[in-house]
Amino acid sequence: MVTAALAEIATHPAAGAALDIEQVSHAFDIDGTELPVLSDVSISVEPGEFVALLGPSGCGKSTLLRLVAGLDKPRAGRLREDESRIRSPHPSRVVVFQDPTLFPWRSVWDNVALGLEAQGILKSQRHRVDAALDLVGLSSFRKAYPHQLSGGMAQRVALARALVNDPKILILDEPLGKLDSLTRITMQAELVSLWQRKGFTTLLVTHDAEEALVLANRVIVFSDRPARVKADIRVDRPYPRHRGDPYLADLRRQILGLLGLDATW
Amino acid sequence: MSTYSLSDGLASGAPRTSRVPLLATWLRESGAGVLASVAWIAFGLSCLWWADVGDWSRTHSLGIAAFVIAAIALFGTVGVDYLGAAGQALHKRAPWLVALGAFLTVWEVATAKFAWLPLPFFPPPQAIIEVYTDDLPKLLDSVFASVKLQLGGYLIGATVGFLTGVSIGWSRAVGYWVHPVLRFIGPLPATAWLPIAFFTFPSSWSASTFLIALATGFPVTVLTWSGVASVSNAYYDVARTLGARPSFLVLKVAIPAALPHVFVGLFMGLGSSFAVLVVAEMIGVKAGLGWYLQWAQGWAAYANMYAALIVMSLLCSGAITLLFSIRDRLLVWQKGTVKW
Ligand SMILES: Nc1ncnc2c1ncn2[C@@H]1O[C@H](COP(=O)(O)OP(=O)(O)OP(=O)(O)O)[C@@H](O)[C@H]1O
Ligand SMILES: [Mg+2]
């Protein structure tokens, strides 16, 4: 699958959008006190880039993704997709949330079809739903309801629900967090292959430095809350990458150091 | 079972398939069915053995019918393996058949035969059967009138309540205006409006329809509203990032998510609208089962009252069964819903 996808890159030009996060700061009011969450974050993402965001828990990664999606407005700063300001959600930027949040009243197939249905193009595009389900290996569960799925399967449905929309920017908030390590590795390979084939820009939040290094061209490390960009690391390695690659191992040590985990290494 | 065959085997050294355990097993499996048959024979006998203390025309037929039921119970039990689903259904209900037969026997003896219970107030079973056979047209007319009134009022109330609930839950402006009205008027029992309704509405029928709708509408509104209000924002976020417009958010996110609450409201509305229906029929509308009850009381026709009550309870229970089966169809995605 991955090698087949590699062969296809040349024939498919990048379909991703550029993303500019310019001096964005954000805060929440909790019982009248202000909780700063993002502090002057600037990231400029090229079209088709795969950027991994790493940072301590609760530092503000999900908050940043919500701003990119257009679900919330930043207190300060600007976000742009291909030169146009991000003011509201748009299906060109699709989010896979940290919780799968499948609609319990819809079958798996209907959940995946959600985006196409909302945009009013489901009738002519039903095959895309089938293809997305195939991709995550859940074709045989098309009729199941979410409460009949395992946590990992629900995550995969959520992934399919996002991919079916052919996004320009795919926003992933720990989408593989709940998968077992085997499925996880498979899904990582699928993700890379898909990204290479479709060329969308990818923003991936993860807790796992190794995952970030296997998948992304660029790893951004955040500080503790309020999140600031602590390091912006290029990962110049061809795909498919190997976990044992000494170059990656070196980067990993560096990243864990930035996250304050020197002692374990 | 194991205790029995173990001691049996120890005592005689016989294999487990000896005759006694077989008989015991059969009795355990079929005992209830046989007992049901016995109970209904007892009921039949109680009808025919002694003379009635009053003048009832259906005693003999009732006795025969009891024997027929006893026969069906017996054959159904013996032939359970050949009767498929019907046999299984009978098998499952056999204990209830026993209880019912026993109850009817006691009732028959205590009323028609020895009049242990004071008579006009406690009519025997055959008196009630007599109502069903001899006063059927009037009873059917009443059933029809009740169902028509209830259905009309309920459907109007449920529809208006649902739409109001969604609007309040969705729109701040609608909530601002409707919420205080709802708080002020909603908790008032719909029956309190009766006197006013009957002289402000052109007919007692339209007044009753309005009151039934009111009794239904309040719980449906409140629960639909709370259902819509409690929909997790995460669902809206997902739908919005996938390109959903507001109409999609209402129709495909808010309403389906609120549906379990809506059904609770519909259920509560059904209960309170039954109460209004009966009172409205007794006081204003000169038709329907409520009116029939009132009429029977006026003539001291106690058997007719019991007969009407039984029909009424079957209708109400049937309505709730219908509502629950609709819910089960619409909410298959829910796990562990209450079985009615
Ligand atoms: N809607 C909200 N209202 C108030 N505070 C919020 C809200 N959402 C997030 N926060 C706060 O903002 C901070 C950052 O939250 P966020 O979800 O972005 O963290 P995160 O980096 O994604 O963490 P994790 O890796 O554990 O998912 C947290 O301290 C949280 O309490
Ligand atoms: Mg998060």
Side-chain angles (χ1 to χ4, degrees):
Chain A
M1 194 82 204
V2 179
T3 41
L6 267 175
E8 272 185 59
I9 320 174
T11 58
H12 286 257
L19 174 69
D20 282 304
I21 301 169
E22 296 168 4
Q23 289 151 16
V24 164
S25 297
H26 198 59
F28 289 109
D29 286 322
I30 297 181
D31 287 335
T33 55
E34 183 156 296
L35 179 79
V37 174
L38 297 173
S39 150
D40 201 19
V41 174
S42 294
I43 302 167
S44 169
V45 182
E46 304 281 307
E49 221 173 0
F50 196 134
V51 179
L53 308 177
L54 273 171
S57 178
C59 74
K61 305 179 295 289
S62 298
T63 305
L64 181 62
L65 293 194
R66 286 183 65 86
L67 299 181
V68 172
L71 288 168
D72 294 326
K73 291 190 177 44
R75 291 269 170 103
R78 273 189 307 278
L79 294 114
R80 282 186 305 193
E81 174 190 0
D82 275 349
E83 305 306 317
S84 59
R85 276 290 281 278
I86 294 175
R87 293 172 199 279
S88 62
H90 189 274
S92 68
R93 284 168 271 124
V94 176
V95 190
V96 178
F97 291 92
Q98 203 161 0
D99 284 329
T101 40
L102 302 180
F103 289 12
W105 57 90
R106 285 176 163 245
S107 67
V108 166
W109 197 93
D110 289 334
N111 262 290
V112 175
L114 199 67
L116 301 181
E117 193 182 330
Q119 295 155 48
I121 53 172
L122 178 60
K123 277 227 174 74
S124 57
Q125 306 283 314
R126 301 177 69 87
H127 60 275
R128 280 166 65 181
V129 179
D130 297 322
L133 272 175
D134 258 346
L135 185 75
V136 295
L138 286 174
S139 300
S140 54
F141 282 87
R142 51 193 10 252
K143 290 213 177 80
Y145 282 96
H147 77 259
Q148 297 164 315
L149 303 178
S150 72
M153 284 157 77
Q155 281 284 18
R156 278 144 70 194
V157 175
L159 197 59
R161 178 175 65 185
L163 293 175
V164 79
N165 298 285
D166 252 337
K168 287 192 166 147
I169 301 180
L170 181 63
I171 303 166
L172 302 165
D173 199 346
E174 295 183 53
L176 310 181
K178 280 188 189 156
L179 302 184
D180 64 284
S181 55
L182 212 71
T183 320
R184 194 175 166 134
I185 289 171
T186 321
M187 288 299 297
Q188 286 172 352
E190 288 294 349
L191 203 59
V192 168
S193 128
L194 205 77
W195 163 66
Q196 292 181 318
R197 212 160 59 216
K198 305 265 186 186
F200 46 68
T201 307
T202 308
L203 226 53
L204 169 83
V205 164
T206 173
H207 272 135
D208 181 352
E210 189 182 273
E211 179 172 279
L213 289 166
V214 167
L215 296 179
N217 334 100
R218 210 171 138 192
V219 177
I220 292 174
V221 182
F222 287 110
S223 69
D224 228 330
R225 189 184 59 234
R228 283 172 293 99
V229 175
K230 211 168 177 183
D232 187 340
I233 300 162
R234 300 223 147 259
V235 188
D236 275 327
R237 272 330 231 192
Y239 298 91
R241 292 177 180 163
H242 297 286
R243 270 145 235 275
D245 186 337
Y247 175 81
L248 295 186
D250 197 48
L251 280 182
R252 178 162 183 249
R253 207 167 300 128
Q254 203 181 318
I255 289 170
L256 290 179
L258 285 166
L259 290 170
L261 283 174
D262 313 67
T264 58
W265 278 80
Chain B
M1 166 107 194
S2 58
T3 335
Y4 188 87
S5 30
L6 185 64
S7 57
D8 183 55
L10 283 176
S12 62
R16 287 178 63 138
T17 45
S18 69
R19 296 179 72 114
V20 179
L22 258 185
L23 185 64
T25 311
W26 185 83
L27 263 183
R28 192 171 301 120
E29 280 297 304
S30 314
V34 175
L35 262 182
S37 185
V38 170
W40 281 83
I41 289 173
F43 176 45
L45 284 177
S46 75
C47 287
L48 302 182
W49 195 267
W50 298 281
D52 285 343
V53 294
D55 180 23
W56 295 294
S57 58
R58 304 288 167 195
T59 312
H60 188 72
S61 328
L62 185 60
I64 304 295
F67 288 138
V68 172
I69 292 174
I72 293 174
L74 190 63
F75 287 121
T77 304
V78 174
V80 69
D81 296 337
Y82 310 100
L83 290 174
Q88 283 310 315
L90 180 72
H91 181 71
K92 218 173 82 185
R93 288 169 180 75
W96 263 107
L97 269 180
V98 179
L100 213 58
F103 172 72
L104 287 172
T105 311
V106 172
W107 181 9
E108 176 71 25
V109 171
T111 53
K113 305 306 178 185
F114 298 103
W116 293 327
L117 295 170
L119 239 186
F121 311 110
F122 294 94
Q126 54 264 47
I128 290 170
I129 298 290
E130 204 176 317
V131 174
Y132 290 135
T133 54
D134 297 9
D135 202 23
L136 190 63
K138 198 164 169 189
L139 207 52
L140 279 185
D141 278 350
S142 302
V143 167
F144 185 70
S146 284
V147 169
K148 200 172 112 193
L149 185 57
Q150 167 72 21
L151 209 61
Y154 184 73
L155 289 183
I156 294 172
T159 312
V160 172
F162 176 74
L163 295 177
T164 316
V166 171
S167 316
I168 307 176
W170 191 257
S171 153
R172 222 172 266 276
V174 175
Y176 177 81
W177 289 106
V178 178
H179 183 204
V181 178
L182 198 68
R183 277 182 71 163
F184 185 65
I185 292 181
L188 203 61
T191 38
W193 292 91
L194 266 171
I196 297 177
F198 276 126
F199 69 74
T200 46
F201 275 77
S203 66
S204 60
W205 185 81
S206 55
S208 312
T209 304
F210 167 75
L211 292 179
I212 292 171
L214 197 65
T216 309
F218 177 60
V220 173
T221 305
V222 171
L223 275 135
T224 305
W225 166 30
S226 88
V228 170
S230 67
V231 177
S232 158
N233 275 326
Y235 293 138
Y236 294 127
D237 287 348
V238 166
R240 283 169 63 208
T241 58
L242 293 175
R245 281 180 288 275
S247 62
F248 188 92
L249 294 182
V250 177
L251 295 175
K252 298 294 179 91
V253 183
I255 290 178
L259 221 47
H261 288 251
V262 175
F263 270 98
V264 175
L266 286 173
F267 172 69
M268 288 166 53
L270 202 54
S272 50
S273 67
F274 285 150
V276 177
L277 171 76
V278 174
V279 175
E281 284 179 341
M282 283 180 171
I283 294 181
V285 195
K286 293 284 173 251
L289 284 168
W291 167 80
Y292 188 96
L293 274 178
Q294 183 91 338
W295 166 85
Q297 195 205 18
W299 287 94
Y302 293 96
N304 296 56
M305 289 175 60
Y306 286 99
L309 267 183
I310 293 172
V311 171
M312 206 183 263
S313 97
L314 287 178
L315 283 177
C316 294
S317 171
I320 290 177
T321 307
L322 188 68
L323 182 70
F324 273 55
S325 64
I326 293 174
R327 182 199 64 171
D328 288 347
R329 289 203 124 206
L330 282 178
L331 303 184
V332 276
W333 53 270
Q334 268 196 322
K335 37 181 177 175
T337 46
V338 183
K339 281 271 166 282
W340 164 246

